[in-house]
Amino acid sequence: MLDWKQQPHRRLNPLTGEWVLVSPQRTLRPWQGKKEKRSPKEGPRHDPKCYLCPGNPRAEGARNPNYAHTFVFDNDYPALVPEASPGEIDKGGLIVAQSESGICRVVCFSPRHDLAIARMQQAQVRLLVDVWVEQHRDLAQRPAINHVQIFENRGALMGCSNPHPHGQIWANATIPDPTRKETESFENHLKARGSCLLCHYLDLETSEGERLIFQNNGFTVLVPYWAAWPFETLVLSRRHIADLDQLSDSERDDLADVLRRLTIRYDGLFQTPFPYSMGFHQQPTDGAAYPGWHLHLHFYPPLLRSATVKKFMVGYEMLASPQRDITPEAAAEKLRAVADGVARET
Ligand code: H2U
Ligand code: ZN
């Protein structure tokens, strides 16, 4: 009999159809590799040089208003532009390109330069949720927009250029690969088994319990069975809804609560502002019906065993398959052991 806690095996990610290699026997290997710098302590409340602080000029000269809660603006250096000229290249199916239009926005989470979500008051995070809902609604109803990606890169380790709490929204015409794969998986699961993939998965996780971290009335936070990053988490709405627009008033509060508590746990894990990329996955906004789609958030943090040792997705992982040493069950246990109740705004 295979000992799943000790012996190598692979696990399926049913959302993408991809496999991850789990090698629990390797967790004791020594580390003589790269150590990252510790994240600096929080900066000042207002930084006169920050291009996201209220009242400051941005890099291209526009000036931010003296916003009191949140502030959204069109990215001054957008990756996509609204009216890209139409165009298509196809040389034998090998040299292929298509024009792509879209809208890129930056969302400032707070006027305070020094507050990450973990240090904000619940009411401020709720305002941020409301802004995401409004933004999604505004972008989703546009005929040229079929996919809305809301995300946050936190920390220099993730390439984030500014410590001011902020995220981004990129909305475009075609459906990116991860959402396309998830859409197919949701559809296939519904057809084959008559239920939503993530409702079904949530039932399984609730009965097994060992990968759950915490939950409230609206959301459950867990380390997915197929997690590739050491402390990757999945935030699932407990109700079967397909996007942010369908959240009830109390679910918006629940989402804010979950975001605060999860990021407090992350910061507590290695006693450091925890870097991550996180984002919502929602149904496409092309007007088609997606009865099998289930709203969720992915958190992908790179840290492995301390504030300064990060996981590299290299070698076998670039060429063959992602691989992890610490099991998702052990990661969940560690995240469960961290307290999440402290509001630390000062
Ligand atoms: P990141 O820190 O996650 O890279 O996001 C910052 C974004 O803010 C980035 O996309 C934009 C950058 O293009 N930006 C502006 O739109 N205006 C500025 O004055 C500086 C940065
Ligand atoms: Zn700032």
Side-chain angles (χ1 to χ4, degrees):
M1 257 290 275
L2 185 95
D3 180 350
W4 300 96
K5 288 197 164 83
Q6 304 289 339
Q7 291 181 288
H9 56 276
R10 60 187 201 133
R11 296 187 183 190
L12 175 70
N13 179 340
L15 283 171
T16 61
E18 290 157 9
W19 293 82
V20 54
L21 186 60
V22 183
S23 317
Q25 80 286 2
R26 287 178 93 222
T27 40
L28 296 176
R29 93 195 142 104
W31 182 258
Q32 294 184 320
K34 184 163 192 262
K35 294 213 168 160
E36 310 293 331
K37 284 206 192 89
R38 280 191 85 89
S39 305
K41 285 249 171 291
E42 287 93 17
R45 284 166 166 246
H46 180 97
D47 177 352
K49 293 209 181 76
C50 168
Y51 53 73
L52 300 179
C53 275
N56 287 1
R58 295 206 301 277
E60 292 292 296
R63 188 173 283 277
N64 298 328
N66 273 316
Y67 62 97
H69 298 293
T70 57
F71 172 52
V72 182
F73 62 93
D74 285 331
N75 198 311
D76 299 311
Y77 308 95
L80 295 153
V81 294
E83 315 237 319
S85 310
E88 202 163 336
I89 297 174
D90 188 340
K91 297 181 185 169
L94 298 172
I95 296 199
V96 178
Q98 294 170 350
S99 73
E100 181 70 49
S101 302
I103 297 172
C104 295
R105 292 179 179 160
V106 179
V107 182
C108 300
F109 294 175
S110 159
R112 288 270 299 268
H113 185 79
D114 58 334
L115 291 187
I117 292 177
R119 297 183 63 238
M120 288 177 199
Q121 302 285 2
Q122 162 79 14
Q124 176 64 27
V125 187
R126 164 63 201 249
L127 290 173
L128 172 59
V129 170
D130 289 343
V131 165
W132 282 331
V133 174
E134 277 161 29
Q135 286 294 316
H136 179 262
R137 200 171 280 170
D138 167 42
L139 292 161
Q141 48 86 24
R142 298 176 187 228
I145 298 296
N146 297 320
H147 181 262
V148 179
Q149 184 61 61
I150 298 175
F151 65 98
E152 178 192 7
N153 276 332
R154 182 184 181 206
L157 216 54
M158 296 309 294
C160 178
S161 59
N162 185 330
H164 193 113
H166 69 282
Q168 298 192 45
I169 304 174
W170 295 17
N172 63 320
T174 53
I175 318 284
D177 288 341
T179 301
R180 183 181 51 72
K181 286 181 196 162
E182 290 189 355
T183 303
E184 283 166 18
S185 304
F186 282 128
E187 259 174 44
N188 292 342
H189 197 90
L190 189 60
K191 259 193 224 137
R193 298 177 189 259
S195 71
C196 158
L197 189 161
L198 284 179
C199 287
H200 189 176
Y201 177 61
L202 188 53
D203 282 348
L204 282 172
E205 288 293 14
T206 306
S207 65
E208 298 209 348
E210 58 179 344
R211 283 168 298 275
L212 296 181
I213 306 173
F214 68 99
Q215 61 183 12
N216 60 21
N217 286 334
F219 289 85
T220 298
V221 184
L222 51 86
V223 179
Y225 186 70
W226 53 85
W229 292 94
F231 292 96
E232 176 177 334
T233 53
L234 184 64
V235 180
L236 294 175
S237 65
R238 294 178 66 181
R239 199 160 61 88
H240 181 67
I241 52 174
D243 61 29
L244 288 169
D245 206 17
Q246 296 169 16
L247 290 175
S248 68
D249 186 60
S250 67
E251 283 168 334
R252 291 189 193 193
D253 282 337
D254 293 337
L255 177 56
D257 174 61
V258 149
L259 288 169
R260 280 186 60 251
R261 289 167 63 190
L262 177 56
T263 53
I264 287 172
R265 276 176 197 259
Y266 273 145
D267 286 1
L269 186 64
F270 296 137
Q271 302 291 317
T272 196
F274 209 72
Y276 57 73
S277 277
M278 71 83 145
F280 293 89
H281 274 163
Q282 315 185 67
Q283 68 177 343
T285 62
D286 55 4
Y290 294 99
W293 239 97
H294 194 121
L295 170 72
H296 58 281
L297 279 102
H298 297 281
F299 272 80
Y300 300 128
L303 290 183
L304 174 59
R305 54 172 82 182
S306 71
T308 54
V309 176
K310 98 181 244 280
K311 175 177 176 60
F312 290 92
M313 285 278 189
V314 294
Y316 191 85
E317 295 166 314
M318 284 181 130
L319 293 155
S321 134
Q323 183 272 339
R324 61 181 297 135
D325 299 343
I326 175 179
T327 61
E329 295 71 37
E333 200 179 323
K334 285 190 165 41
L335 284 166
R336 262 198 308 272
V338 186
D340 68 10
V342 205
R344 291 183 298 159
E345 181 174 342
T346 48

